[in-house]
Amino acid sequence: MVGDVMAKPLRIALVGNPNCGKTALFNQLTGSRQKVANYAGVTVERKSGYLVTPHGRKLQVLDLPGTYSLLATSPDEAVTRDVCMGRYKGEPAPDLLICVVAATNLRLHLRFLLELLQLGRPLVVVLNMVDVLEKYGIRIDVPRLQSELGVPVVTTVGVRNGGAKNLITLLDEMMPQQGVLHLPKLNSSVILENSSCVHDRVRKILETCVTRDRPLAVKLEDVLDRWVLHPIWGMIILSFLLFIMFQAVFSWAQPFMDMLQDSINRLGILVSTLIPEGPLRGLVVDGVIGGAGTVVVFLPQILILFLWILALEESGYLPRAAFLLDCFMGCAGLGGRSFIPLLSSFACAVPGIMATRTIQHTRDRIVTILIAPLMTCSARLPIYALLIGAFIPNKSVIGVFNLQGLVLFVLYIVGILSAFIVARLLKKGGEERFLLMELPHYHWPSLRNLLLGLWQRAKIFLSRVGTIIVSLSIILWALSSFPAPPSGSTGTALEWSLAGRIGHILVPIFSPIGFNWQICVALIVGLAAREVAVGALGTVYAIAASENDISGSLIPLLSAQWGLATAFSLLAWYVYAPQCLSTLAVIRRETGSWRMVMITVVYLFALAYIAAFLVYRITGLFMG
Amino acid sequence: MLQWIITGVVVLICVFFWFKKIMPKGYNVLCLKMAGFLKRLGILPHVQKRLERQSLLRGCGSCKSCDHDCH
């Protein structure tokens, strides 16, 4: 069949309202694994993949951001409008538009479909989520809908394996091997003059094509929403969920972390016996295992954090949390549309900053970009976990809460509050925005999707360890090992090394906030990514431990050598410090300005230094 | 001696990896110059071809949809 595949495939574009299942269908058609979630605004850029149909036709499939109208109000919606109209970066219009509509919400989704029909381009309607129609007691007369719209209509279940079969069959039958696509001529009755015509037309289609088996009753979903969206009970539920999440990160992960740490220690001993004494042994044991191995240990904590985030995403709870927190967002001068980008930033600031494309107002978008790095991303977790593990005793508070989990929760809250304060200052005098958002249906999180999501997070984390962290650990090992100390010199070899000298040069700047030269070295290499600092500390202390013939993991070494004030000061530093090149690069890309990058770097480093200084001095006062 | 050579090569690869990330354009120029140097010496033709290919790459390779303007 490969021989049948054309050099230049026909292009089809998936369009529709947000959260109607376009990306799930895209993944089914192309075999991709793009992120899907049960809320609007997950896809913010045009994505492309290929589908080879059973008859060997090769099609380029475009997945576009969701929009309610072709009258775009935000950068992501503009991408969809431009692609549909053939104005996108010199690309021709797609050969076929596939309008995905949620079968459970035709009243809303038909409006955009009618708008698309007016473009007069070849179009197919995909009625997605038909599997839940029975649950809601809805019946749709598909042939009737097809004749009303005057274009082909197929049914799909985007989240089920093989759920796009009908669409693939239709594409296989209708797409020509080459040339122009010919579809039935548009029914003139769908050409509409204004929005009231659209409403009338939607009402008529619903009357003729949709029937309800039973009248609308109070659903479990409505009962749940009464509690979840309640201003007091809702906040208690949200706080409880977040609190349990941070408790779980420490309590559940500990046995797995101990197992990993033990395996890494054994690997270090094994490699030491296999490789004879020399620079290569130092590179592998102190550089790679001492550096990257220290970071790998935190994988279980990161996976548990993501298990919670993915489960909340899939269940449909997150948009409700956005609705609940809208008044807080309003106090900070931000609109509700800022919530999802800020929430995404808890995983990583990069997709969070990209998700700001859904924000219509430029000033709101810029402020959200500026505060996104203050949300505690998963890269901070290894640092927080390392310092909390070393300095906070693992004991329970009032017999219920784990003290380490409690401290982690406080660090997250400090990040959120700081972001809101900064937003308030930046938005002083700005007008208030109102939140208008679609709440998705609740779903039980699918075990398959959860496992797939965790697998992807584990792959991302391990590939970062395997590339960024291993390479920097090796460079740092070289800088920490050479040049060798001159004969007859005093002090350790590490202090004579290049890294040691650089660290000592920086000490005067960082000693007011309690950082020693080893931390200064870790901060420099940690500019690349936050978790690199853990690997860097691992490498530096592994070399020092080898020199002093001490063996053991990083946590006991740190608790023996650092004071509590230094540890707290470093925690405060990492709440604010913009130590992530990828975040700065994406700010440059999204704002198109180096000025914004400079503003971010300067204000966040200033905040980091001030916070670390205050924490160091205040802790010093209390600890004597 | 072998340990020193392996260690040196590994460290150099890591330095190149980061040089490409931080200064993609500088990395391209360096690859082109090194390929030219190997060509003049007439040695390591495979490495020379690889370096020429590397000199044509655009962007740091970290993100695939950045239109190569992230730096």
Side-chain angles (χ1 to χ4, degrees), chain A residues 45 89 275-276 278-281 283 468 471-472 474-475 477 482 528 589 594, chain B residues 3-4 6-7 10-11 14-15 17-18 21-22 63 65-67 69-71:
Chain A
E45 60 185 349
K89 284 184 191 169
I275 304 176
L280 189 61
R281 187 161 92 177
L283 182 139
I468 293 175
S471 58
L472 273 176
I474 288 172
I475 293 171
W477 170 83
F482 305 104
R589 200 179 101 194
W594 281 109
Chain B
Q3 279 208 22
W4 282 104
I6 297 171
T7 306
V10 171
V11 172
C14 295
V15 170
F17 174 81
W18 276 98
K21 273 195 176 300
I22 296 167
C63 43
S65 59
C66 62
D67 295 332
D69 64 349
C70 59
H71 298 295

Side-chain angles (χ1 to χ4, degrees), chain A residues 242-243 245-251 301 305 376-377 380-386 388 392 402-415 571 575:
Chain A
L242 292 178
F243 196 77
M245 180 166 94
F246 297 118
Q247 292 287 311
V249 164
F250 271 96
S251 314
Q301 286 188 325
L305 180 74
T376 305
C377 66
R380 283 182 175 104
L381 195 59
I383 298 163
Y384 287 173
L386 175 76
I388 290 170
I392 306 295
N402 178 293
L403 184 61
Q404 293 182 330
L406 202 66
V407 173
L408 186 67
F409 181 66
V410 170
L411 286 168
Y412 272 74
I413 295 294
V414 170
L571 280 175
V575 169

Side-chain angles (χ1 to χ4, degrees), chain A residues 301-313:
Chain A
Q301 286 188 325
I302 287 174
L303 291 186
I304 287 172
L305 180 74
F306 275 103
L307 179 67
W308 277 90
I309 293 176
L310 290 169
L312 292 178
E313 269 184 6

